[in-house]
Amino acid sequence: MNQRMNKIGIIIETENGSVKETNFGMITLANRGNAQLYALMGENAASAGASLAEYGITTVVDLGLPEEATVRLNPDVRAKAVVAAVNELGLDGVFGLSSAEGKDLIPRVAAYLDAPLVMDCLDVDPENKTGRTSQYSGKVVADIQLTGDIAVFGIRPNAVKAEAAQAEATMVSLAAGADTSSALSLVSWDESSADDSQVSLAEADIIVAGGRGMKNGDNFSLLFDCADKMKAAVGASRVAVDEGWVPYAHQVGQTGEKVSPSVYIACGISGSIQHFAGMKTAKMIIAVNTDENAAMVANSDYYVLGDLFEILPEIIKQI
Amino acid sequence: MQIYVCVKHVPDSAANIHILGKDQIDENVAFLLNPYDEHAVSEAASLKKANAGSEIIAVTVGKADADKTLRSAMAMGADRGLLVETDAACDSMTTARALVAAIKRDGTPDIILTGKESIDAEGMQTLFRVGAMMDMPVVTNAAGLTVDGANATVVCELSGGNTRTFETNLPCVIGAGRGLNTPAYPTFPDVVKARKKPVETISLDSLGIDAPKGSAKIVGLAPLVQNRTPKEITGTPAEQAAQIVNILKNEAKVIS
Ligand SMILES: Cc1cc2nc3c(=O)[nH]c(=O)nc-3n(C[C@H](O)[C@H](O)[C@H](O)COP(=O)(O)OP(=O)(O)OC[C@H]3O[C@@H](n4cnc5c(N)ncnc54)[C@H](O)[C@@H]3O)c2cc1C
Ligand SMILES: Nc1ncnc2c1ncn2[C@@H]1O[C@H](COP(=O)(O)O)[C@@H](O)[C@H]1O
């Protein structure tokens, strides 16, 4: 029979020295089984313990990565450090966020461990080692069951709400003898975006998105202003990206980012299958559209039939 | 250079997907070359142009029908195809083993190009498994690739417009993202020529791959339906905005 997971290592993402909010929902998810929870930390292990214990982490593991940023941030080096921790601590489950970073890290870990993996899970049943994920451009939800000694799951940020579950956490350091060699060298990267106030799409709790209805790139400043006020991220349809109004990184959809925010506000987006593929799992959809027959309106929770150029400035004014 | 491109035969993203039983889809829909793999083939064609005498081999694991996807890849510039044929639904651990066995049996890759993700399974992992088994470095979501002799510089895309740049040596595995290039669609003569290019069919069983030590099995499929009941927000723009703000504050509780 398929054995459940007993010791789950959770790869924690930090930002500016503290644990990103989106980790807590992932810990809550892992805590649904009866496994012991280990937080695997590439940095800030010492300071993060208290906040992690609040959600059920019992061991905080310092992966012992070197200070040097080009080494520490190299996803291949990080993956090897996670694999070393899995082996040393005898972990039989690994969770990580299916964020942009996670998509470059978790599959590396699974490949080195030669262990099965489900990415971008909306839900996980840790007792049955089954992950629920989207397939076929978001048209289907699949339950995928893993077998083998170690199971790996990538969790879509914001898929699960965090619930406090106070525990006591102890620290473990795995500094000694970490293998930091890699055939891949990280030579440069952008610092967490020039504009620090910008929220990442995958992790945002609110997304305000624009499509062809925005008419040009300058008008996107309306969305950026609105996002600024609500601490939201700005999304876009492929049309808006293809027209060059915003960079590709803002694209939501089958060939863009897949997101599960609490609220998705779609302005001047018709709601094509391919766009829905990326935001269908939003908890609430608010559509702003001039066309009452738009698919986005029919698949919303709330809709405004009106001109986004009249509504958005009012929202900005009122927040 | 010997350039291998992994291509997958997938249902068209615009197709309506019907679920049969609890773990299968009705495959009676249009299938095509996985969109990200198109970028991979296109990049292979540019590499070949820059490195005279190179050969591009498209490799797929799938049913006999996947021959069509090999033809598409050949119309876009691949010289020949390898079809690892199986009727079984393979998870990525098995698929990667099959790809590696077929490639090793065929030749010595200088580079292996793949897509960053298949649009049916949305697995995001096969390329990393291929890399680990071949002992080659892997870069995914590539938005820029420069090959200079045995060195490769790869720019890859993260979210928020951020990028990372890696340097590595060939042979390596590169997972194409949408930013890598703009695939040039084949002309009719290219399509006709592709029909005559050679495809070697290898049965999965004949590769004699070892059973993986784990598996990923679909135990349930369901359409992603969201039962939403749209409610209209009426009034003047100012009133509509006030209601939206109220919903964000008091119902969704996402702003204070
Ligand atoms: C393989 C493939 C992959 C794709 N991947 C993606 C993807 O990842 N993401 C994606 O988004 N698309 C994707 N597409 C494209 C998709 O099919 C649609 O073309 C696209 O999503 C439409 O964008 P849109 O809604 O902005 O534009 P349109 O469909 O033109 O809709 C514009 C909407 O704006 C409304 N509008 C106009 N003016 C106003 C105004 N003043 N106020 C309010 N509303 C207004 C209109 O009523 C209309 O509903 C893909 C397509 C293919 C073939
Ligand atoms: N059956 C297959 N045959 C050939 N290549 C594949 C197959 N499955 C996956 N790949 C390659 O691996 C990439 C990532 O796939 P996936 O891990 O399924 O998201 C794809 O873009 C393909 O290049």
Side-chain angles (χ1 to χ4, degrees), chain A residues 104 108 114-115 134 136-137 139 141 143 145 147 183 185 187-188 190 249 251 254 280 282 301-303 311 318, chain B residues 13 15 97 120 122 129 138 161 163-165 167-168 178 215 217 219-220 222 224 228 231 233 238 242 251:
Chain A
D104 197 3
R108 290 181 193 277
D114 200 11
S134 78
Y136 299 98
S137 312
K139 279 175 265 185
V141 281
D143 289 329
Q145 186 165 45
T147 66
S185 327
V187 289
S188 65
D190 301 323
Q251 185 178 317
Q254 178 206 313
K280 233 175 183 172
D301 297 287
Y302 289 102
Y303 63 96
I311 319 283
Q318 293 185 29
Chain B
S13 68
R97 281 168 167 75
D120 55 350
E122 301 182 18
R129 298 189 188 279
V138 184
T163 60
R164 288 205 277 225
T165 304
E167 278 173 6
T168 191
R178 213 166 73 88
S215 68
K217 187 174 182 295
V219 292
L224 180 60
R228 300 186 196 265
K231 290 186 266 306
I233 297 173
E251 187 182 335

Side-chain angles (χ1 to χ4, degrees), chain A residues 107 119, chain B residues 5-10 33-38 40 58-63 66 69-70 82-84 86 90-92 95-96 98-99 112-130 140 174-176:
Chain A
M119 281 298 282
Chain B
V5 191
C6 301
V7 293
K8 189 176 185 189
H9 195 50
V10 299
L33 168 59
N34 184 40
Y36 294 107
D37 305 352
E38 272 181 4
V59 195
T60 192
V61 178
K63 297 185 176 162
T69 269
L70 289 176
L82 298 178
L83 168 59
V84 179
T86 173
C90 297
D91 63 17
S92 72
T95 301
L99 289 168
I112 301 177
L113 292 158
T114 76
K116 76 163 172 105
E117 158 177 14
S118 59
I119 64 162
D120 55 350
E122 301 182 18
M124 312 176 198
Q125 53 189 278
T126 309
L127 58 158
F128 291 101
R129 298 189 188 279
V130 168
T140 192
I174 307 291

Side-chain angles (χ1 to χ4, degrees), chain B residues 17-88:
Chain B
I17 302 292
H18 296 287
I19 293 160
L20 301 177
K22 70 173 179 61
D23 56 5
Q24 278 182 342
I25 65 148
D26 182 353
E27 293 191 345
N28 196 10
V29 292
F31 273 67
L32 36 71
L33 168 59
N34 184 40
Y36 294 107
D37 305 352
E38 272 181 4
H39 293 281
V41 178
S42 198
E43 199 63 19
S46 322
L47 281 175
K48 179 175 166 170
K49 215 182 239 169
N51 296 275
S54 297
E55 186 190 26
I56 304 173
I57 306 104
V59 195
T60 192
V61 178
K63 297 185 176 162
D65 202 42
D67 179 73
K68 296 198 183 94
T69 269
L70 289 176
R71 300 288 160 195
S72 304
M74 291 187 294
M76 293 178 69
D79 298 297
R80 56 188 178 86
L82 298 178
L83 168 59
V84 179
E85 196 183 331
T86 173
D87 283 333

Side-chain angles (χ1 to χ4, degrees), chain A residues 73-75 100-101 103-104 107-108 110-120 130 134-149 183-193 198 200-201 205-206 230 238 241-242 248-249 251 254-258 262-263 265 273-274 279-286 288 297-305 310-311 314-315 318-319, chain B residues 11-17 19 25 27 35-36 91-93 97 116-117 119-125 128-129 132-133 136-141 153 156-169 177-179 212-234 236-245 247-249 251-255:
Chain A
L73 297 177
N74 181 337
E101 303 270 338
K103 285 174 188 166
D104 197 3
R108 290 181 193 277
Y112 282 137
L113 290 169
D114 200 11
L117 157 70
V118 191
M119 281 298 282
D120 213 16
T130 302
S134 78
Q135 290 193 330
Y136 299 98
S137 312
K139 279 175 265 185
V140 169
V141 281
D143 289 329
I144 301 181
Q145 186 165 45
L146 305 185
T147 66
D149 296 339
L184 203 60
S185 327
L186 177 63
V187 289
S188 65
W189 61 93
D190 301 323
E191 290 297 342
S192 57
S193 101
Q198 239 167 293
S200 120
L201 205 50
D205 206 26
I206 316 177
M230 312 183 186
R238 171 148 162 192
V241 170
D242 285 351
Y248 169 60
Q251 185 178 317
Q254 178 206 313
T255 44
E257 200 73 47
K258 300 212 172 69
S262 296
V263 182
I265 307 176
I273 287 185
Q274 294 93 351
M279 40 66 72
K280 233 175 183 172
T281 55
K283 269 141 234 139
M284 179 190 285
I285 296 173
I286 302 178
V288 179
V297 169
N299 291 289
S300 68
D301 297 287
Y302 289 102
Y303 63 96
V304 174
L305 292 181
E310 291 177 10
I311 319 283
E314 278 295 336
I315 297 179
Q318 293 185 29
I319 291 186
Chain B
D12 186 338
S13 68
N16 285 317
I17 302 292
I19 293 160
I25 65 148
E27 293 191 345
Y36 294 107
D91 63 17
S92 72
M93 294 178 82
R97 281 168 167 75
K116 76 163 172 105
E117 158 177 14
I119 64 162
D120 55 350
E122 301 182 18
M124 312 176 198
Q125 53 189 278
F128 291 101
R129 298 189 188 279
M133 275 182 257
M136 291 182 190
V138 184
V139 181
T140 192
N141 206 6
T153 306
C156 68
E157 228 154 352
L158 291 171
S159 64
N162 291 343
T163 60
R164 288 205 277 225
T165 304
F166 294 100
E167 278 173 6
T168 191
N169 293 324
R178 213 166 73 88
K213 40 180 201 174
S215 68
K217 187 174 182 295
I218 293 175
V219 292
L221 284 181
L224 180 60
V225 279
Q226 225 83 30
N227 291 322
R228 300 186 196 265
T229 18
K231 290 186 266 306
E232 186 174 1
I233 297 173
T234 55
T236 63
E239 288 162 0
Q240 290 170 324
Q243 289 178 65
I244 291 178
V245 172
I247 289 165
L248 296 178
K249 261 189 199 153
E251 187 182 335
K253 299 194 169 54
V254 287
I255 58 172

